[in-house]
């Protein structure tokens, strides 16, 4: 168990810095700020829904956050994140 915990802590450190850097780049470019799960929702949308999805925060009440992903063809999907774990609906 210690080994698994150590690996999870290392992964968090690695992904945490990447996440902050990614958020800062987008904030500087667009002026849009983010909630805690917004980058996870963005990644999920771009990987599984449509590559150019526009993400809008509908509810930001940590630990539950809800986002809308809108594709170029005007289709949309809701993304729900609990404690940073996101799923599409």
């Amino acid at each position: 168990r210690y080994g698994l915990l150590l690996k999870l802590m290392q992964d968090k450190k690695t992904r945490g810095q990447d996440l902050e850097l990614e958020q800062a780049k987008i904030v500087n470019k667009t002026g849009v700020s983010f909630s805690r799960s917004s980058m996870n929702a963005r990644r999920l949308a771009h990987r599984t829904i449509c590559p150019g999805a526009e993400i809008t925060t509908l509810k930001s009440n940590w630990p539950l956050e809800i986002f809308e992903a809108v594709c170029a063809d005007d289709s949309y999907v809701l993304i729900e994140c609990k404690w940073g774990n996101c799923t599409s609906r």
Side-chain angles (χ1 to χ4, degrees):
R1 289 185 186 195
Y2 176 76
L4 179 60
L5 180 60
L6 186 60
K7 181 175 179 353
L8 289 172
M9 289 174 61
Q10 290 170 342
D11 287 348
K12 179 183 176 190
K13 286 180 184 177
T14 302
R15 283 185 282 143
Q17 291 173 353
D18 291 342
L19 176 63
E20 290 173 5
L21 180 61
E22 195 173 334
Q23 286 176 339
K25 285 179 183 178
I26 294 173
V27 169
N28 286 338
K29 185 176 179 181
T30 65
V32 176
S33 61
F34 295 92
S35 62
R36 293 175 96 173
S37 301
S38 60
M39 294 307 292
N40 294 344
R42 181 179 299 276
R43 274 193 220 110
L44 175 68
H46 288 187
R47 289 179 185 162
T48 64
I49 299 165
C50 59
E54 292 292 323
I55 307 299
T56 304
T57 303
L58 301 179
K59 178 181 179 182
S60 179
N61 189 13
W62 182 260
L64 174 64
E65 296 178 294
I66 300 175
F67 303 90
E68 177 184 50
V70 180
C71 300
D73 65 357
D74 289 331
S75 63
Y76 68 92
V77 174
L78 294 179
I79 299 174
E80 179 181 82
C81 300
K82 290 182 183 175
W83 298 103
N85 296 314
C86 301
T87 56
S88 60
R89 294 185 181 183

